[in-house]
């Protein structure tokens, strides 16, 4: 999905990780936020909705068309409203990360947030989760260079804060900010996998 492209209704992420991305003319990119299983990609509430930013798959991903929230479907409308509120909360948390946290704090806070989001989607263990992203992708999300990310992760390993091996992150020391992460309401189950759209 490209920025400015006409949208065709909401989508639910069934598998994989996607990113909302800002692309610059010199080839750089800033990952604004992440979408993981259970998240809803909603349409802007305009007469002719267009995508406000580019959304790209960061690994193999599977999307499913979601039903529109009609006026008679109060439960679905409330679920979409809760999802939109959480999107805003995660965006504000990202702004705080980039504006006031050190590289060490940014990485720890982001990993803690993603672990909690994946726990809510039942895609993580008590202290670990599968990480399909590269250090370069993490750098694009946290406003750092890949070299800085690598050095910071080495420091976190030495401090026994985390381990990142074989595509799995294990958090050994929980961040205080984890308590600030909002609880996500359980959304309505995705529709049957008929006409699934695969993004690769």
């Amino acid at each position: 999905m490209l920025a400015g492209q006409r949208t065709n209704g909401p989508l639910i992420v069934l598998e994989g990780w996607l990113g909302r991305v800002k692309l610059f003319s010199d080839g750089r990119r800033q990952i604004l936020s992440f979408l993981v299983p259970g998240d809803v990609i909603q349409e802007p509430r305009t007469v002719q909705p267009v995508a406000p930013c580019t959304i790209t798959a960061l690994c193999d991903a599977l999307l499913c068309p979601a039903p529109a929230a009609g006026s008679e479907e109060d439960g679905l409308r409330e679920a979409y409203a809760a999802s939109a509120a959480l999107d805003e909360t995660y965006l504000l948390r990202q702004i705080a990360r980039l504006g006031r946290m050190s590289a060490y704090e940014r990485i720890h806070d982001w990993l803690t947030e993603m672990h909690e989001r994946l726990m809510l989607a039942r895609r993580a263990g008590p202290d670990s989760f599968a990480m399909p992203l590269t250090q370069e992708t993490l750098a694009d999300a946290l406003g750092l260079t890949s070299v800085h990310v690598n050095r910071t992760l080495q420091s976190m390993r030495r401090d026994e804060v985390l381990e990142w091996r074989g595509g799995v992150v294990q958090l050994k020391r929980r961040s205080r900010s984890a308590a600030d992460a909002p609880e996500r309401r359980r959304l309505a189950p995705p529709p049957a996998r008929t006409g699934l759209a695969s993004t690769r």
Side-chain angles (χ1 to χ4, degrees):
M1 182 183 298
L2 299 177
Q5 185 179 60
R6 182 73 181 269
T7 59
N8 294 312
L11 299 168
I12 294 177
V13 181
L14 298 180
E15 301 287 347
W17 292 40
L18 300 95
R20 293 186 175 99
V21 178
K22 168 65 177 178
L23 301 173
F24 296 90
S25 59
D26 60 2
R28 291 176 300 160
R29 69 175 182 176
Q30 174 68 47
I31 298 178
L32 307 171
S33 64
F34 291 90
L35 295 156
V36 296
D39 286 342
V40 179
I41 302 174
Q42 299 194 50
E43 286 190 307
R45 295 182 179 180
T46 57
V47 176
Q48 294 184 335
V50 297
C53 64
T54 295
I55 297 179
T56 185
L58 303 172
C59 60
D60 286 349
L62 190 64
L63 307 178
C64 179
S71 58
E72 72 283 358
E73 299 173 347
D74 292 339
L76 187 59
R77 187 171 62 252
E78 289 176 5
Y80 283 177
S83 175
L86 283 166
D87 272 349
E88 182 177 0
T89 299
Y90 294 137
L91 177 60
L92 294 176
R93 188 168 176 176
Q94 171 74 341
I95 292 171
R97 262 194 297 265
L98 297 180
R100 288 298 179 182
M101 291 186 181
S102 66
Y104 197 108
E105 291 169 329
R106 289 181 199 183
I107 293 174
H108 196 186
D109 184 75
W110 181 81
L111 289 171
T112 299
E113 176 187 310
M114 297 312 298
H115 176 247
E116 293 215 349
R117 290 176 64 180
L118 291 167
M119 280 281 288
L120 290 171
R122 299 182 180 179
R123 298 301 181 98
D127 60 3
S128 63
F129 61 95
M131 166 64 81
L133 309 182
T134 65
Q135 292 182 19
E136 182 179 3
T137 300
L138 188 54
D140 288 344
L142 298 179
L144 305 168
T145 65
S146 55
V147 172
H148 200 169
V149 169
N150 183 268
R151 290 175 178 172
T152 303
L153 288 172
Q154 290 181 29
S155 178
M156 296 174 83
R157 291 189 188 101
R158 287 194 298 270
D159 293 343
E160 297 185 345
V161 171
L162 62 78
E163 286 290 339
W164 185 348
R165 296 180 185 276
V168 175
V169 171
Q170 180 182 10
L171 299 174
K172 296 184 175 182
R173 198 179 302 171
R174 301 301 297 272
S175 167
R176 288 182 181 179
S177 60
D180 298 332
E183 289 290 336
R184 176 158 57 182
R185 297 182 187 177
R186 187 181 303 277
L187 298 180
R193 300 194 180 193
T194 301
L196 295 179
S198 179
T199 303
R200 298 188 184 275

